[in-house]
Amino acid sequence: MQTIFEIATHGQGLYEFTRDVTRWCEGDGLLTLFVQHTSCSLLIQENADPEVQTDLQNFFSRLVPPTTDPSMSYLTHTYEGPDDMPAHIKAAMMPVSLQIPVYGGRPQLGTWQGIYLFEHRTAPHHRRVIGHLCV
């Protein structure tokens, strides 16, 4: 079984889509999620305290600042704005695919785990995540 999850973003941040994935799953098997973009990532992360998402975003923004930051002056891929190459770097550091066991039609996530698209660009985007459930 395959599907596409469409996720509209409105700038940098983590966008949870666990409910969409759970509604789609059925049976038992292994779910693979794959994002079709080079400037965002997929994460399984805590979904109870929103400060976790804020702290993650702030950490990666500090780790890889925009190209307007003097520490990033060595970057040459700047055609699409100061957040573009840093977004590619962040996506290279984090997963673009996830594998999750499914049992009884439910992804076997931990109590406080959620599935997130981590948007690294500042402008809104429409992201596509392919879901493949192998039963």
Side-chain angles (χ1 to χ4, degrees):
M1 277 183 6
Q2 288 190 344
T3 194
I4 298 173
F5 298 99
E6 303 267 352
I7 301 165
T9 68
H10 54 274
Q12 293 181 354
L14 285 92
Y15 296 84
E16 186 174 8
F17 65 110
T18 311
R19 286 187 185 143
D20 297 331
V21 171
T22 301
R23 276 194 292 269
W24 177 73
C25 287
E26 59 183 56
D28 301 338
L30 183 63
L31 171 64
T32 298
L33 297 172
F34 174 77
V35 65
Q36 292 186 304
H37 306 277
T38 61
S39 56
C40 60
S41 306
L42 295 175
L43 292 177
I44 293 175
Q45 198 45 255
E46 179 178 328
N47 63 1
D49 184 351
E51 289 179 350
V52 171
Q53 290 92 52
T54 301
D55 287 348
L56 280 169
Q57 181 178 341
N58 290 338
F59 171 78
F60 280 101
S61 291
R62 240 178 115 176
L63 186 65
V64 188
T67 58
T68 53
D69 186 290
S71 69
M72 303 302 275
S73 63
Y74 64 93
L75 295 176
T76 57
H77 179 75
T78 59
Y79 311 115
E80 295 179 51
D83 68 323
D84 185 38
M85 190 60 215
H88 293 300
I89 293 169
K90 292 171 190 174
M93 296 170 65
M94 289 181 254
V96 295
S97 68
L98 302 171
Q99 291 73 42
I100 304 165
V102 175
Y103 179 72
R106 298 196 55 82
Q108 296 300 290
L109 297 168
T111 302
W112 307 114
Q113 288 183 320
I115 304 167
Y116 291 88
L117 178 120
F118 195 168
E119 176 62 69
H120 304 306
R121 299 296 307 268
T122 56
H125 284 83
H126 290 280
R127 303 302 196 172
R128 293 168 46 104
V129 177
I130 305 301
H132 178 91
L133 182 60
C134 186
V135 293

Short mmCIF file of all heavy atoms in Angstrom, two decimals, residues 5 17 21 24-25 28-35 41-45 94-103 106-110 113-116 129-134:
data_model
loop_
_atom_site.label_atom_id
_atom_site.label_comp_id
_atom_site.label_asym_id
_atom_site.label_seq_id
_atom_site.Cartn_x
_atom_site.Cartn_y
_atom_site.Cartn_z
N PHE A 5 1.28 11.88 1.70
CA PHE A 5 0.83 12.83 2.71
C PHE A 5 1.29 14.21 2.26
O PHE A 5 2.48 14.43 2.03
CB PHE A 5 1.42 12.50 4.09
CG PHE A 5 1.00 11.16 4.61
CD1 PHE A 5 1.85 10.07 4.49
CD2 PHE A 5 -0.24 10.99 5.20
CE1 PHE A 5 1.47 8.83 4.96
CE2 PHE A 5 -0.63 9.74 5.68
CZ PHE A 5 0.23 8.67 5.56
N PHE A 17 2.35 15.13 11.83
CA PHE A 17 1.32 14.51 11.00
C PHE A 17 1.05 13.06 11.42
O PHE A 17 0.62 12.22 10.63
CB PHE A 17 1.65 14.65 9.50
CG PHE A 17 2.89 13.95 9.01
CD1 PHE A 17 2.78 12.84 8.19
CD2 PHE A 17 4.16 14.41 9.32
CE1 PHE A 17 3.91 12.19 7.71
CE2 PHE A 17 5.30 13.78 8.85
CZ PHE A 17 5.17 12.66 8.04
N VAL A 21 -1.06 9.75 9.49
CA VAL A 21 -0.42 8.46 9.27
C VAL A 21 -1.24 7.35 9.95
O VAL A 21 -1.52 6.32 9.35
CB VAL A 21 1.04 8.47 9.79
CG1 VAL A 21 1.64 7.06 9.77
CG2 VAL A 21 1.90 9.43 8.98
N TRP A 24 -4.36 6.33 8.15
CA TRP A 24 -4.13 5.61 6.91
C TRP A 24 -3.70 4.16 7.13
O TRP A 24 -4.02 3.28 6.32
CB TRP A 24 -3.06 6.35 6.08
CG TRP A 24 -2.72 5.64 4.82
CD1 TRP A 24 -3.49 5.54 3.70
CD2 TRP A 24 -1.53 4.89 4.57
NE1 TRP A 24 -2.83 4.78 2.76
CE2 TRP A 24 -1.63 4.37 3.27
CE3 TRP A 24 -0.40 4.61 5.32
CZ2 TRP A 24 -0.63 3.60 2.69
CZ3 TRP A 24 0.59 3.84 4.75
CH2 TRP A 24 0.47 3.35 3.45
N CYS A 25 -3.00 3.90 8.22
CA CYS A 25 -2.46 2.55 8.46
C CYS A 25 -3.55 1.52 8.72
O CYS A 25 -4.58 1.83 9.29
CB CYS A 25 -1.50 2.56 9.66
SG CYS A 25 0.07 3.36 9.31
N ASP A 28 -0.91 -5.26 9.90
CA ASP A 28 0.41 -5.36 10.53
C ASP A 28 1.46 -5.26 9.43
O ASP A 28 1.27 -5.79 8.33
CB ASP A 28 0.59 -6.71 11.23
CG ASP A 28 -0.45 -6.96 12.31
OD1 ASP A 28 -1.04 -5.98 12.81
OD2 ASP A 28 -0.67 -8.13 12.66
N GLY A 29 2.58 -4.63 9.73
CA GLY A 29 3.64 -4.53 8.73
C GLY A 29 4.67 -3.50 9.12
O GLY A 29 4.79 -3.11 10.28
N LEU A 30 5.42 -3.06 8.12
CA LEU A 30 6.45 -2.06 8.33
C LEU A 30 6.14 -0.86 7.45
O LEU A 30 6.00 -0.97 6.24
CB LEU A 30 7.83 -2.62 7.98
CG LEU A 30 9.00 -1.67 8.23
CD1 LEU A 30 9.13 -1.35 9.72
CD2 LEU A 30 10.30 -2.27 7.70
N LEU A 31 6.02 0.28 8.09
CA LEU A 31 5.73 1.53 7.40
C LEU A 31 7.03 2.27 7.13
O LEU A 31 7.86 2.45 8.02
CB LEU A 31 4.82 2.42 8.27
CG LEU A 31 4.59 3.85 7.79
CD1 LEU A 31 3.84 3.86 6.46
CD2 LEU A 31 3.84 4.64 8.85
N THR A 32 7.21 2.68 5.89
CA THR A 32 8.32 3.54 5.51
C THR A 32 7.73 4.88 5.08
O THR A 32 6.78 4.92 4.30
CB THR A 32 9.15 2.94 4.37
OG1 THR A 32 9.70 1.70 4.79
CG2 THR A 32 10.27 3.88 3.95
N LEU A 33 8.28 5.96 5.62
CA LEU A 33 7.92 7.31 5.20
C LEU A 33 9.15 7.93 4.57
O LEU A 33 10.26 7.80 5.10
CB LEU A 33 7.48 8.14 6.41
CG LEU A 33 6.23 7.64 7.14
CD1 LEU A 33 6.02 8.43 8.43
CD2 LEU A 33 5.00 7.76 6.24
N PHE A 34 8.96 8.62 3.44
CA PHE A 34 10.07 9.23 2.71
C PHE A 34 9.64 10.61 2.22
O PHE A 34 8.62 10.73 1.54
CB PHE A 34 10.47 8.35 1.53
CG PHE A 34 11.51 8.97 0.63
CD1 PHE A 34 12.85 9.01 1.02
CD2 PHE A 34 11.16 9.53 -0.58
CE1 PHE A 34 13.81 9.60 0.22
CE2 PHE A 34 12.11 10.12 -1.40
CZ PHE A 34 13.44 10.15 -1.00
N VAL A 35 10.40 11.64 2.55
CA VAL A 35 10.08 13.00 2.10
C VAL A 35 10.78 13.26 0.77
O VAL A 35 11.97 12.95 0.61
CB VAL A 35 10.43 14.06 3.17
CG1 VAL A 35 11.91 14.14 3.45
CG2 VAL A 35 9.85 15.41 2.80
N SER A 41 13.20 17.59 6.62
CA SER A 41 13.55 16.27 7.16
C SER A 41 12.32 15.64 7.81
O SER A 41 11.30 16.30 7.99
CB SER A 41 14.64 16.41 8.23
OG SER A 41 15.74 17.10 7.75
N LEU A 42 12.48 14.39 8.21
CA LEU A 42 11.45 13.69 8.98
C LEU A 42 12.05 13.32 10.34
O LEU A 42 13.21 12.91 10.42
CB LEU A 42 11.00 12.42 8.27
CG LEU A 42 10.29 12.61 6.94
CD1 LEU A 42 10.01 11.26 6.29
CD2 LEU A 42 9.00 13.40 7.11
N LEU A 43 11.24 13.43 11.38
CA LEU A 43 11.70 13.08 12.72
C LEU A 43 10.59 12.39 13.50
O LEU A 43 9.42 12.68 13.31
CB LEU A 43 12.08 14.34 13.52
CG LEU A 43 13.29 15.13 13.09
CD1 LEU A 43 13.44 16.36 13.98
CD2 LEU A 43 14.54 14.28 13.17
N ILE A 44 11.00 11.49 14.38
CA ILE A 44 10.12 11.00 15.43
C ILE A 44 10.61 11.71 16.69
O ILE A 44 11.78 11.63 17.03
CB ILE A 44 10.20 9.47 15.59
CG1 ILE A 44 9.63 8.80 14.34
CG2 ILE A 44 9.44 9.02 16.84
CD1 ILE A 44 9.76 7.29 14.33
N GLN A 45 9.71 12.45 17.32
CA GLN A 45 10.11 13.29 18.43
C GLN A 45 8.97 13.42 19.44
O GLN A 45 7.83 13.07 19.14
CB GLN A 45 10.51 14.67 17.88
CG GLN A 45 11.34 15.53 18.78
CD GLN A 45 12.49 14.82 19.45
OE1 GLN A 45 12.41 14.53 20.64
NE2 GLN A 45 13.54 14.51 18.71
N MET A 94 19.86 15.19 9.15
CA MET A 94 18.71 14.52 9.76
C MET A 94 18.09 13.55 8.77
O MET A 94 18.33 13.64 7.57
CB MET A 94 17.70 15.57 10.19
CG MET A 94 18.16 16.38 11.39
SD MET A 94 16.94 17.58 11.88
CE MET A 94 17.72 19.06 11.28
N PRO A 95 17.28 12.64 9.26
CA PRO A 95 16.71 11.64 8.35
C PRO A 95 15.69 12.22 7.37
O PRO A 95 14.97 13.16 7.70
CB PRO A 95 16.02 10.64 9.29
CG PRO A 95 15.92 11.30 10.61
CD PRO A 95 16.90 12.41 10.65
N VAL A 96 15.67 11.64 6.18
CA VAL A 96 14.64 11.96 5.19
C VAL A 96 13.69 10.79 5.01
O VAL A 96 12.75 10.86 4.23
CB VAL A 96 15.25 12.39 3.84
CG1 VAL A 96 16.01 13.71 4.01
CG2 VAL A 96 16.14 11.31 3.26
N SER A 97 13.95 9.70 5.74
CA SER A 97 13.03 8.56 5.74
C SER A 97 12.99 7.96 7.15
O SER A 97 13.93 8.10 7.92
CB SER A 97 13.43 7.49 4.72
OG SER A 97 14.64 6.87 5.10
N LEU A 98 11.86 7.33 7.45
CA LEU A 98 11.64 6.68 8.74
C LEU A 98 11.02 5.32 8.50
O LEU A 98 10.27 5.14 7.54
CB LEU A 98 10.68 7.50 9.61
CG LEU A 98 11.05 8.93 9.94
CD1 LEU A 98 9.86 9.64 10.61
CD2 LEU A 98 12.27 8.97 10.85
N GLN A 99 11.32 4.37 9.37
CA GLN A 99 10.68 3.06 9.35
C GLN A 99 10.01 2.86 10.70
O GLN A 99 10.65 3.02 11.74
CB GLN A 99 11.69 1.94 9.09
CG GLN A 99 12.26 1.95 7.67
CD GLN A 99 13.25 3.08 7.45
OE1 GLN A 99 14.08 3.39 8.27
NE2 GLN A 99 13.12 3.74 6.30
N ILE A 100 8.72 2.49 10.66
CA ILE A 100 7.93 2.35 11.88
C ILE A 100 7.14 1.05 11.80
O ILE A 100 6.38 0.85 10.83
CB ILE A 100 6.96 3.53 12.05
CG1 ILE A 100 7.73 4.86 12.03
CG2 ILE A 100 6.14 3.39 13.34
CD1 ILE A 100 6.85 6.08 11.83
N PRO A 101 7.26 0.16 12.80
CA PRO A 101 6.43 -1.03 12.80
C PRO A 101 4.96 -0.65 13.00
O PRO A 101 4.65 0.28 13.74
CB PRO A 101 6.93 -1.85 13.99
CG PRO A 101 8.07 -1.11 14.59
CD PRO A 101 8.16 0.22 13.93
N VAL A 102 4.08 -1.39 12.33
CA VAL A 102 2.63 -1.19 12.47
C VAL A 102 2.03 -2.51 12.94
O VAL A 102 2.31 -3.57 12.37
CB VAL A 102 2.01 -0.77 11.12
CG1 VAL A 102 0.48 -0.68 11.22
CG2 VAL A 102 2.60 0.55 10.65
N TYR A 103 1.24 -2.43 13.99
CA TYR A 103 0.58 -3.63 14.53
C TYR A 103 -0.87 -3.27 14.83
O TYR A 103 -1.15 -2.26 15.47
CB TYR A 103 1.30 -4.10 15.80
CG TYR A 103 0.67 -5.31 16.42
CD1 TYR A 103 0.79 -6.56 15.83
CD2 TYR A 103 -0.06 -5.20 17.60
CE1 TYR A 103 0.21 -7.68 16.38
CE2 TYR A 103 -0.66 -6.33 18.16
CZ TYR A 103 -0.52 -7.56 17.54
OH TYR A 103 -1.11 -8.67 18.10
N ARG A 106 -2.00 0.25 13.85
CA ARG A 106 -1.47 1.42 14.56
C ARG A 106 0.06 1.44 14.52
O ARG A 106 0.69 0.43 14.84
CB ARG A 106 -1.93 1.41 16.01
CG ARG A 106 -3.45 1.51 16.15
CD ARG A 106 -3.91 1.87 17.53
NE ARG A 106 -3.34 3.11 18.05
CZ ARG A 106 -3.77 4.34 17.78
NH1 ARG A 106 -4.78 4.49 16.95
NH2 ARG A 106 -3.22 5.38 18.34
N PRO A 107 0.63 2.58 14.14
CA PRO A 107 2.09 2.71 14.24
C PRO A 107 2.51 2.50 15.69
O PRO A 107 1.88 3.03 16.61
CB PRO A 107 2.36 4.15 13.79
CG PRO A 107 1.14 4.56 13.03
CD PRO A 107 0.01 3.81 13.63
N GLN A 108 3.54 1.73 15.89
CA GLN A 108 3.97 1.38 17.25
C GLN A 108 4.94 2.42 17.81
O GLN A 108 6.11 2.14 18.08
CB GLN A 108 4.59 -0.03 17.25
CG GLN A 108 3.58 -1.11 16.89
CD GLN A 108 2.42 -1.14 17.88
OE1 GLN A 108 2.58 -1.53 19.03
NE2 GLN A 108 1.25 -0.70 17.43
N LEU A 109 4.40 3.61 18.00
CA LEU A 109 5.16 4.72 18.57
C LEU A 109 5.08 4.66 20.08
O LEU A 109 4.11 4.13 20.64
CB LEU A 109 4.61 6.05 18.07
CG LEU A 109 4.71 6.29 16.56
CD1 LEU A 109 3.88 7.50 16.16
CD2 LEU A 109 6.16 6.47 16.16
N GLY A 110 6.07 5.23 20.74
CA GLY A 110 6.04 5.33 22.19
C GLY A 110 5.01 6.34 22.65
O GLY A 110 4.45 7.11 21.86
N GLN A 113 5.74 9.92 21.56
CA GLN A 113 6.36 10.09 20.25
C GLN A 113 5.34 10.53 19.20
O GLN A 113 4.21 10.03 19.17
CB GLN A 113 7.02 8.79 19.79
CG GLN A 113 8.28 8.46 20.56
CD GLN A 113 8.93 7.21 20.04
OE1 GLN A 113 8.27 6.23 19.70
NE2 GLN A 113 10.25 7.24 19.97
N GLY A 114 5.76 11.43 18.35
CA GLY A 114 4.97 11.86 17.21
C GLY A 114 5.85 11.89 15.97
O GLY A 114 7.08 11.92 16.05
N ILE A 115 5.21 11.88 14.81
CA ILE A 115 5.90 11.91 13.52
C ILE A 115 5.83 13.35 13.00
O ILE A 115 4.74 13.93 12.90
CB ILE A 115 5.25 10.94 12.51
CG1 ILE A 115 5.21 9.53 13.08
CG2 ILE A 115 6.00 10.98 11.18
CD1 ILE A 115 4.31 8.59 12.30
N TYR A 116 7.00 13.89 12.66
CA TYR A 116 7.09 15.29 12.25
C TYR A 116 7.81 15.46 10.93
O TYR A 116 8.79 14.76 10.65
CB TYR A 116 7.89 16.09 13.29
CG TYR A 116 7.20 16.26 14.60
CD1 TYR A 116 7.34 15.31 15.61
CD2 TYR A 116 6.40 17.37 14.86
CE1 TYR A 116 6.72 15.45 16.83
CE2 TYR A 116 5.77 17.53 16.08
CZ TYR A 116 5.93 16.57 17.06
OH TYR A 116 5.31 16.72 18.27
N VAL A 129 5.20 13.63 1.44
CA VAL A 129 5.82 12.50 2.14
C VAL A 129 5.14 11.24 1.61
O VAL A 129 3.92 11.10 1.69
CB VAL A 129 5.64 12.60 3.67
CG1 VAL A 129 6.22 11.38 4.36
CG2 VAL A 129 6.30 13.89 4.20
N ILE A 130 5.94 10.34 1.05
CA ILE A 130 5.42 9.07 0.55
C ILE A 130 5.34 8.09 1.70
O ILE A 130 6.29 7.93 2.45
CB ILE A 130 6.35 8.50 -0.55
CG1 ILE A 130 6.56 9.50 -1.68
CG2 ILE A 130 5.79 7.17 -1.09
CD1 ILE A 130 5.32 9.95 -2.38
N GLY A 131 4.19 7.45 1.84
CA GLY A 131 4.01 6.39 2.83
C GLY A 131 3.90 5.06 2.11
O GLY A 131 3.14 4.93 1.14
N HIS A 132 4.67 4.08 2.55
CA HIS A 132 4.63 2.74 1.97
C HIS A 132 4.50 1.75 3.12
O HIS A 132 5.38 1.68 3.97
CB HIS A 132 5.90 2.45 1.16
CG HIS A 132 5.93 1.08 0.59
ND1 HIS A 132 5.45 0.80 -0.66
CD2 HIS A 132 6.39 -0.10 1.10
CE1 HIS A 132 5.60 -0.51 -0.89
NE2 HIS A 132 6.17 -1.07 0.17
N LEU A 133 3.39 1.02 3.16
CA LEU A 133 3.16 0.04 4.19
C LEU A 133 3.32 -1.35 3.59
O LEU A 133 2.56 -1.73 2.69
CB LEU A 133 1.78 0.18 4.83
CG LEU A 133 1.45 -0.77 5.96
CD1 LEU A 133 2.42 -0.63 7.12
CD2 LEU A 133 0.03 -0.53 6.44
N CYS A 134 4.32 -2.06 4.04
CA CYS A 134 4.58 -3.42 3.57
C CYS A 134 3.99 -4.38 4.61
O CYS A 134 4.45 -4.43 5.74
CB CYS A 134 6.09 -3.62 3.43
SG CYS A 134 6.53 -5.18 2.70
#
